[in-house]
Amino acid sequence: MRFKTLTIFFVAISFVAKAQITEQEIIIKDIIESVAENLPDDYDITELIEVLTRLKKHPINLNKTSPEELKTLVFLSPLQISNFFSYIKENGNFVDALELQSIDGFDINTVQNILPFVTLNAVTEYEKLTFTNIFSLGENDIIMRYAQTIQKQKGFTDLPGNRYLGSPERFQSRYRYHYGTIFSAAITLEKDAGEKFLGKPFDFLSGNIALFKLGKIKKIIVGDYTLQFGQGLTLWSGFSFGKGPDVTSVAKKDLGLRPYTSANEYSFLRGTSATINILRNIDFTPFISFRNLDASQDFDSDGNLVQATINQTGLHRTPSEIENQKSLKQQVFGGTIQYNNNDLGIGAIAYHSRYSNSFITQNAIYDRFSFVGNALTNVGIYYNYTYKNIYFFGEAGKGINSGLAYVSGALISLSPIVSAAVTYRSYDKDYHNFFNQGLAEASEAINEKGLYAGLNITPNKRWAFSIYADYFQSSWLKYRVDAPSNGNEILSQAIYTPSKTFKILARFKTENKQQNTDLDVPINFLDDVKKEGYRIEVSWQLNKKWSFQNRLEVSQYKKGDANKELGYLIYQDVDYSPMFSKITGNIRIAYFDTPSYNSRIYAYEDDVLYSFAFGMYNGKGFRSYLNLKYNLAKKLNLWARYATFIYKNVETVGTYLDEIQGNVKSEVKIQLRYQF
Amino acid sequence: MKIWYALLILFFPNYLFAQNNYGGRLTAMGNNGAAVSDIWSLQANPSGITALTQSTVALNYIKHLFSDEISTQGLVAVVPFKNNFVGIGLQRYGFSEYNQNKINFAYAKKFGNSFSAAIAVNYHQLKIANYGSSTGFSIDVGAMYRLNKEFSFGAFVSNPSKQKFNSSKVLTEIPTSFNIGASYFASDRVLIATSVIKILNYPIDVSLGIEYKIINLLSLRGGFSVKPFKQYAGFGLNYNKILLDMATIYDANLGYAPQITIGYAF
């Protein structure tokens, strides 16, 4: 019996190991492109990639895992996670990782995605934390990155008035320390292009120390951290998913307290927090945070400094940006209490935030209901409940003395091959919250009602379909929308994978919204704005060394009675990654032609490790990049990237201070990683 | 107040009535009548009635929520004779001063187990108080093909010969539409259906719907159509020989249109 078990172990391990080598880089890209669709370029989802990369190295032990651990696998839906644990409860421990296939709601794609990140062999857990162990058994990871735009941007020339005071290089250094799963530390340093080395070596400095599994104290973090609870309406910082080709992504997976490791300069808390197990199944997470935020301020009639909004870009390049830097003190404290058993989770959140200067409303009418004052108390409750093949979830959040927001939905595994998601949301126009990342069409989860419904259909190994439709309406005005408005969005996607080395994807997306007319009229009326995108993508592997991807994407834009605009992007990717080779790399050659910014197209671009971007293709011209990775030594890796845009028929590239004379914009990037 | 209804009807004559009344089940699935079998197929793809095994009768009532007075009422009955099926449908739409009525007779035949075809003859009547009335004829033709246990395909055309009301003063048209669709039984509890609809002089519409039989007694349904964007939802109860279906359409401009359908299979 033991021999049999062992053999299965080895077979399973070799399966996992093999999958790791051949699909290593591709799989993360695939996962990210399937869950996140057209994110803006400044989104930093480093954390996500970091978690996946780390799990590749230290796979999850299926027989010793927790819901929280599985939630870090972005492609698993909460219903699948819940089904996973009911399966273990009924059938006992896993003997073979491929057993995952027999869990309700685990289609073949999910199993293929999960295999590289899981294992069945016991992971050595360093239970004792001693001073010598910290040095001898810990893992250290240092990354240094340098990037620069080669052409000179206008902001770096000798302009009178507003210009970039710093140098055009970008630097990022990251240090990570891990001691098993019980201790970690992180430091991130960053300087953006145009920022000065002002007295200290870097413009942005972030770090933390985190301890896990200390008896009753499940986690404790000092430094920068994020909090993610419920459906993101009341308290959510850091990255969050919205609507995507994987329709189950609308049900958020809250990870609670986490160390912050991303380089985004806004979306985190700074101070200390801990998750404490106070009773069986009941956890309490108190937190406190002090931060200095960027805000552009003015004096009110009484001579006090006031501001209307917080600047979230984290850029401190020009004199005015530097003046606004850290001008607003923010204090946040509160707590979350949550109850979790197998099928039911309930949580309650309450916190208070206080600002050194008051917020005032802006002049714009659409902004009339925004937050004013200098103190805000937020409360919220959330739940999730699994009944048979249905996962219910929801959250309600309220600002004291301001509006209410709630969201409620269900994921249903209709049959082994069909799963559905339904969500209804309703957010008041005066819902005030600085940590609100609820599911929404607009960038903020306010002033919106919507109904979302989607289906994932995986009839067999070769085919996968998904489709969703979302209807939304706003009862109040919005930016560039001078009346109550409504709209809808539909996405459908088909993937055909006849063999392990060939995949074809077709995607169609249409979005209909309303926006102020472009005509010069005394009172703006709303025009229908219609955006459509068609994508065909073919990925194929020639042999173990070479793989290729081709994509054609067509975008269409039509506003009111104006003529239809048609843009397209076509690219060829070539990837060279032979096993055991010191050097690997990939290249893209793309041609794009979009008549205006309205029909711009986004596409994922390969980059150096942990760097991540959806490139924006706008205008007419060529795009090309080359990524190379060279393994200098076993633990020392070097990346280099060269990327360029060559536009046709233009005199300048970019706008305002980023303007470049000529038609070329290119960038070099070098990254060094040392693990010890 | 009546003037508003009259105006509404003048502005949206085809919009309101361009599609037939598909009954609670097909409506809740996003008005997917091309490749789904139901007694109300009589008003959509009439060859869909060949799936019935007993004589069946059903009643339907739709309330249009933009007004309290405007409603649609429908009655359908189908009698099978081995491989031949005969059906009759009655439908009335409007309010006291304005009425559109339709009577249809359908004949459907099964050719083997996988193919069926049907023809339906419709008699239309339009009555406006103080203006008189007008009538018209139209024909629907449909066919359905069952590929295997999972997939079925269907197609039908309504009024292909572009018949009109006999009075030239009537602007309301008898819509001409071309429909193709597919349905997919993902399991014995899950039915997914889609259709592509082209009504002459309107953009092509695509719809998608799903029916999920939670338990034998209860089915949940939902769907949407693209042009114009509408959402549909409903549920059905099936107890012994009695069928009860509730459905609603939601349209951003017209609001909700809830409906109730009661059927009985002899």
Side-chain angles (χ1 to χ4, degrees):
Chain A
M1 183 61 212
R2 172 169 272 176
F3 176 73
K4 193 182 157 202
T5 323
L6 273 178
T7 341
I8 294 170
F9 269 169
F10 281 119
V11 171
I13 292 159
S14 61
F15 189 96
V16 171
K18 207 170 124 201
Q20 250 174 355
I21 293 160
T22 51
E23 296 159 31
Q24 190 149 29
E25 302 300 328
I26 303 161
I27 203 159
I28 290 183
K29 173 183 170 182
D30 263 17
I31 287 165
I32 287 164
E33 267 210 305
S34 73
V35 283
E37 202 230 346
N38 297 352
L39 291 173
D41 344 340
D42 56 343
Y43 246 99
D44 187 353
I45 64 166
T46 322
E47 218 178 306
L48 191 90
I49 303 175
E50 212 174 284
V51 167
L52 290 180
T53 321
R54 195 170 156 72
L55 286 176
K56 270 258 184 65
K57 211 173 145 198
H58 300 280
I60 295 172
N61 183 351
L62 284 180
N63 290 326
K64 268 184 104 176
T65 185
S66 63
E68 200 176 333
E69 198 172 33
L70 286 189
K71 276 182 190 173
T72 57
L73 293 170
V74 281
F75 48 85
L76 282 188
S77 81
L79 181 59
Q80 286 170 328
I81 294 172
S82 176
N83 288 348
F84 175 91
F85 288 101
S86 7
Y87 179 89
I88 286 200
K89 217 170 134 192
E90 276 171 35
N91 301 285
N93 278 355
F94 282 83
V95 188
D96 184 337
L98 291 173
E99 252 183 82
L100 287 166
Q101 285 178 9
S102 45
I103 302 176
D104 238 14
F106 275 65
D107 56 67
I108 292 141
N109 290 335
T110 308
V111 175
Q112 256 167 14
N113 276 343
I114 197 175
L115 281 177
F117 304 104
V118 296
T119 177
L120 286 174
N121 35 340
V123 183
T124 23
E125 191 65 62
Y126 312 119
E127 301 294 350
K128 267 201 180 152
L129 192 63
T130 64
F131 199 70
T132 46
N133 276 352
I134 286 179
F135 290 104
S136 57
L137 296 172
E139 297 164 77
N140 298 277
D141 189 343
I142 293 179
I143 288 183
M144 287 196 294
R145 184 190 300 160
Y146 157 87
Q148 186 177 351
T149 303
I150 296 169
Q151 289 76 21
K152 192 164 203 172
Q153 291 170 309
K154 195 176 170 187
F156 295 107
T157 56
D158 255 337
L159 287 177
N162 226 17
R163 65 184 190 96
Y164 297 152
L165 299 177
S167 57
E169 305 88 28
R170 282 191 285 142
F171 285 111
Q172 202 184 91
S173 296
R174 307 145 66 81
Y175 169 71
R176 301 281 177 272
Y177 175 83
H178 284 278
Y179 180 82
T181 52
I182 57 173
F183 176 51
S184 78
I187 296 171
T188 307
L189 302 158
E190 195 197 40
K191 172 201 168 301
D192 290 309
E195 287 176 344
K196 277 204 286 191
F197 288 93
L198 260 182
K200 54 182 183 177
F202 285 92
D203 178 78
F204 177 65
L205 167 70
S206 167
N208 59 62
I209 291 174
L211 286 160
F212 304 89
K213 304 177 185 170
L214 297 169
K216 285 276 172 202
I217 300 174
K218 286 182 160 181
K219 315 176 211 176
I220 180 161
I221 299 176
V222 178
D224 294 347
Y225 60 91
T226 62
L227 292 168
Q228 305 184 337
F229 291 103
Q231 295 301 315
L233 279 186
T234 319
L235 181 57
W236 193 288
S237 57
F239 182 75
S240 101
F241 284 111
K243 298 180 273 186
D246 173 11
V247 303
T248 59
S249 65
V250 290
K252 289 197 197 305
K253 290 175 287 183
D254 53 347
L255 292 165
L257 172 65
R258 309 262 302 161
Y260 185 72
T261 56
S262 160
N264 178 299
E265 297 181 29
Y266 175 70
S267 198
F268 65 93
L269 293 146
R270 178 168 281 177
T272 183
S273 177
T275 296
I276 305 154
N277 184 248
I278 48 172
L279 273 172
R280 204 174 151 257
N281 294 338
I282 298 181
D283 289 343
F284 176 53
T285 307
F287 64 94
I288 184 156
S289 162
F290 299 94
R291 287 197 59 192
N292 294 316
L293 304 170
D294 303 347
S296 110
Q297 299 181 316
D298 231 326
F299 290 102
D300 67 1
S301 52
D302 302 327
N304 300 315
L305 275 173
V306 290
Q307 68 280 327
T309 53
I310 298 171
N311 301 347
Q312 302 186 7
T313 61
L315 296 170
H316 312 111
R317 307 163 301 185
T318 62
S320 61
E321 282 172 353
I322 291 170
E323 191 197 324
N324 296 338
Q325 187 175 6
K326 298 190 171 173
S327 54
L328 179 65
K329 283 193 177 65
Q330 181 198 49
Q331 245 184 67
V332 192
F333 60 91
T336 295
I337 190 151
Q338 51 183 347
Y339 168 84
N340 271 304
N341 76 8
N342 292 332
D343 302 323
L344 177 70
I346 300 175
I349 309 165
Y351 65 94
H352 184 74
S353 44
R354 187 169 280 284
Y355 295 86
S356 57
N357 299 314
S358 288
F359 283 83
I360 51 160
T361 45
Q362 281 178 334
N363 292 329
I365 301 171
Y366 71 84
D367 203 37
R368 177 163 294 177
F369 296 97
S370 65
F371 172 68
V372 292
N374 64 354
L376 178 63
T377 303
N378 286 95
V379 290
I381 47 168
Y382 60 89
Y383 76 96
N384 60 70
Y385 176 61
T386 312
Y387 175 73
K388 287 185 176 169
N389 55 343
I390 310 178
Y391 174 86
F392 298 96
F393 60 92
E395 176 168 0
K398 193 172 179 349
I400 302 293
N401 303 324
S402 73
L404 173 76
Y406 65 90
V407 60
S408 200
L411 302 180
I412 313 159
S413 166
L414 299 172
S415 85
I417 50 182
V418 183
S419 53
V422 186
T423 301
Y424 177 75
R425 57 189 190 269
S426 171
Y427 310 139
D428 281 353
K429 56 184 183 287
D430 59 343
Y431 177 59
H432 300 153
N433 187 323
F434 287 94
F435 300 92
N436 165 11
Q437 289 204 38
L439 174 76
E441 172 60 26
S443 52
E444 261 187 299
I446 52 165
N447 181 26
E448 188 171 308
K449 277 187 173 61
L451 179 66
Y452 170 101
L455 282 181
N456 279 341
I457 309 168
T458 318
N460 54 43
K461 216 167 148 177
R462 294 184 298 280
W463 288 96
F465 301 91
S466 58
I467 182 162
Y468 73 73
D470 186 33
Y471 170 77
F472 39 86
Q473 62 183 51
S474 297
S475 58
W476 186 242
L477 324 187
K478 290 190 289 193
Y479 175 61
R480 292 179 68 192
V481 186
D482 289 356
S485 62
N486 65 62
N488 61 69
E489 182 182 297
I490 296 165
L491 182 141
S492 57
Q493 176 176 288
I495 298 175
Y496 177 56
T497 323
S499 76
K500 273 195 166 172
T501 54
F502 186 86
K503 183 176 118 175
I504 182 159
L505 175 149
R507 183 186 288 180
F508 168 69
K509 187 181 173 189
T510 172
E511 199 180 82
N512 297 281
K513 287 184 182 183
Q514 294 172 305
Q515 202 179 53
N516 289 344
T517 179
D518 290 337
L519 301 173
D520 203 9
V521 287
I523 297 169
N524 281 330
F525 61 87
L526 300 186
D527 261 342
D528 289 329
V529 176
K530 182 169 139 180
K531 275 189 216 172
E532 284 185 353
Y534 305 80
R535 175 186 298 180
I536 298 272
E537 184 188 285
V538 184
S539 316
W540 47 290
Q541 231 175 317
L542 182 69
N543 52 36
K544 294 230 160 104
K545 291 179 183 167
W546 296 93
S547 48
F548 301 85
Q549 189 181 74
N550 306 68
R551 179 183 291 182
L552 170 68
E553 179 142 350
V554 177
S555 68
Q556 212 183 74
Y557 178 90
K558 183 170 163 53
K559 181 168 181 179
D561 296 326
N563 284 336
K564 210 186 266 180
E565 226 178 279
L566 207 66
Y568 67 91
L569 161 72
I570 183 160
Y571 74 63
Q572 169 77 61
D573 280 4
V574 180
D575 186 88
Y576 173 73
S577 43
M579 253 181 266
F580 314 117
S581 165
K582 279 201 159 192
I583 190 156
T584 57
N586 57 64
I587 188 166
R588 167 173 297 178
I589 297 167
Y591 181 76
F592 56 96
D593 184 353
T594 71
S596 82
Y597 183 71
N598 292 324
S599 47
R600 69 193 178 276
I601 295 169
Y602 291 94
Y604 178 92
E605 292 192 345
D606 289 302
D607 208 320
V608 301
L609 183 72
Y610 296 147
S611 190
F612 172 88
F614 272 99
M616 185 179 77
Y617 295 78
N618 173 27
K620 185 176 183 178
F622 290 95
R623 165 72 165 169
S624 184
Y625 61 72
L626 169 72
N627 287 304
L628 288 175
K629 183 188 173 193
Y630 185 69
N631 298 332
L632 292 165
K634 202 178 168 201
K635 291 177 169 177
L636 190 63
N637 314 106
L638 178 74
W639 284 263
R641 182 177 206 258
Y642 176 80
T644 185
F645 274 108
I646 302 168
Y647 293 93
K648 277 179 154 175
N649 312 329
V650 294
E651 308 272 298
T652 59
V653 178
T655 53
Y656 193 46
L657 290 178
D658 287 334
E659 191 181 283
I660 294 167
Q661 292 298 320
N663 65 342
V664 180
K665 184 181 183 184
S666 30
E667 189 197 55
V668 282
K669 205 179 260 183
I670 292 165
Q671 176 169 295
L672 196 67
R673 182 190 197 193
Y674 180 49
Q675 294 161 279
F676 57 100
Chain B
M1 202 56 210
K2 291 266 161 63
I3 184 72
W4 288 110
Y5 306 144
L7 278 175
L8 255 172
I9 283 159
L10 283 176
F11 282 130
F12 304 103
N14 296 316
Y15 195 43
L16 291 177
F17 201 35
Q19 277 188 331
N20 282 317
N21 163 20
Y22 283 5
R25 178 166 171 256
L26 299 182
T27 303
M29 291 177 71
N31 262 352
N32 264 293
V36 184
S37 296
D38 188 81
I39 181 171
W40 291 91
S41 298
L42 197 70
Q43 308 265 27
N45 182 352
S47 59
I49 60 174
T50 57
L52 296 175
T53 49
Q54 294 111 347
S55 296
T56 307
V57 60
L59 276 166
N60 183 37
Y61 179 81
I62 309 172
K63 189 163 143 42
H64 300 279
L65 262 202
F66 55 82
S67 106
D68 285 336
E69 285 189 36
I70 301 174
S71 67
T72 303
Q73 295 118 46
L75 165 75
V76 286
V78 171
V79 184
F81 304 98
K82 281 195 172 170
N83 284 333
N84 298 289
F85 297 76
V86 177
I88 180 169
L90 302 167
Q91 182 174 302
R92 179 186 172 277
Y93 162 78
F95 55 97
S96 52
E97 273 84 25
Y98 178 99
N99 264 307
Q100 281 190 39
N101 299 313
K102 181 174 134 178
I103 302 173
N104 65 336
F105 298 95
Y107 168 70
K109 188 170 169 61
K110 253 167 124 167
F111 302 92
N113 274 333
S114 53
F115 185 73
S116 58
I119 183 160
V121 181
N122 309 305
Y123 174 74
H124 304 261
Q125 186 191 39
L126 176 68
K127 274 208 295 208
I128 302 172
N130 306 325
Y131 282 88
S133 71
S134 178
T135 59
F137 277 101
S138 72
I139 285 176
D140 299 345
V141 182
M144 217 178 263
Y145 176 69
R146 206 178 128 189
L147 179 71
N148 53 30
K149 241 172 74 187
E150 282 105 36
F151 286 99
S152 294
F153 300 93
F156 73 97
V157 282
S158 281
N159 191 20
S161 54
K162 299 184 194 168
Q163 296 291 325
K164 293 191 170 77
F165 282 103
N166 56 14
S167 161
S168 56
K169 287 174 188 157
V170 175
L171 280 174
T172 304
E173 287 177 353
I174 301 171
T176 297
S177 74
F178 303 90
N179 307 258
I180 54 166
S183 67
Y184 169 54
F185 274 99
S187 78
D188 53 353
R189 297 193 172 273
V190 180
L191 172 65
I192 298 168
T194 180
S195 33
V196 180
I197 303 130
K198 170 67 189 174
I199 301 173
L200 275 198
N201 306 323
Y202 287 85
I204 291 175
D205 189 16
V206 177
S207 66
L208 180 82
I210 183 165
E211 176 177 58
Y212 175 48
K213 200 189 271 179
I214 284 200
I215 45 175
N216 286 330
L217 180 73
L218 173 70
S219 300
L220 298 180
R221 301 173 188 127
F224 68 90
S225 63
V226 176
K227 277 197 172 90
F229 186 80
K230 291 186 200 175
Q231 291 162 308
Y232 307 79
F235 64 89
L237 293 168
N238 183 356
Y239 182 70
N240 280 343
K241 293 177 161 189
I242 300 168
L243 309 149
L244 173 76
D245 294 313
M246 301 286 289
T248 186
I249 305 177
Y250 179 72
D251 180 302
N253 299 313
L254 299 175
Y256 291 95
Q259 58 176 284
I260 180 167
T261 305
I262 297 168
Y264 185 81
F266 294 95

